[in-house]
Amino acid sequence: MAITKPLKTAKHSLKKVPFDLQQLLLDIFRNTFAPRFDSGFPAIVQQIKQHLFNRDFEHAFGQKSFLEAYAMRWSPSRALAYTQIFWEVLSKYHLEAGNLERDSGDLAQAASQVQFASTKRVVCIGGGAGAELVALGAYLQLIDHSCANLADLEDNSKRSPLCFAIESIDIADWSTVLKELHSCMTAAPPISEYSSSAAKVANVELINPAACTLSFMQEDVLEMKNENLALGFTDAVLVTLMFTLNELYSTSISSTTNLLLSLTMLLAPGAMLLVVDSPGSYSTVNVGETSRIDDGGTRKRYPMQWLLDHTLLESAAIGTSKNASAERQWEKIESKESEWFRLSNELRYPVTLEDMRYQLHLYRRL
């Protein structure tokens, strides 16, 4: 796999996801879970909130009705935010342009070089609730439309769209939720039989089923055996940790560090690791905690970002070589300490959704 390089553009401004696409994503969640928006839904949400507050994840995600309610309540706004992140950040790199070895002048030039089918493996750690799946489907649509509009191809018949083979790994059994969301996003939305002919023609699925395949692995990623890690991550061009890494660190710093070092060994040059999580003090990890303060024990709190940088930019290099001055294994190519994604007041959904504040870090395997 060739090392990816950022696309050079004359101007780089915020790439806004179209309103109609954002509404379509919300409609996918609404249509997928339409029968579940009943009088019992608010009570289930309150139970989930209480379990999450108590960090009782086994009960929070232990029932099908709870998994569905979580996806209905929290995944839609995150799917919109993730789509914006993918479109704004990932589209600057050659992930959508076949990981070409040389630079392209802009997206149009890159698109003109995509002549053959290009299926990329994307692994979403903690991606069971479906936000990543729907957002990646939306990103594929944005890329396909952008390439179709900007590329000046001599023969459009030779152009094959980018495809994703998405694998979600999660400790709970999200298989049914993901399957239902995938079915809804790869089928045309329901439409009235009295709609106009033009409306019926325009009523198409978010993404073609062949362009976005899905597999699910129910595993505790911190306890995965080496053979399963190799099966899950080898050949992946993108690995995402969306609001997951801080929870992994809180569970076990050493196991999470080992996971990141395993990814270093498994991912090929050019592969990317995208980390999105809560910003600031919401993502800090206790190190050296002891139960008896009078024994002289100390509790130090480290930012998640510091632990992540230390592991990938320092420990990974030393861990793969006997020489402490070995070449780096990763480079950090994007970083945002605190950003807001704000929802439009015009968007429609059965329950109230919130804006999302986040930090973002994107690394590339060297």
Side-chain angles (χ1 to χ4, degrees), residues 74 119 243 285 348:
W74 285 284
T119 299
F243 288 90
V285 183
R348 304 180 306 279

Side-chain angles (χ1 to χ4, degrees), residues 191-204:
I191 189 171
S192 171
E193 61 179 308
Y194 303 107
S195 299
S196 66
S197 298
K200 291 180 179 179
V201 170
N203 187 54
V204 297

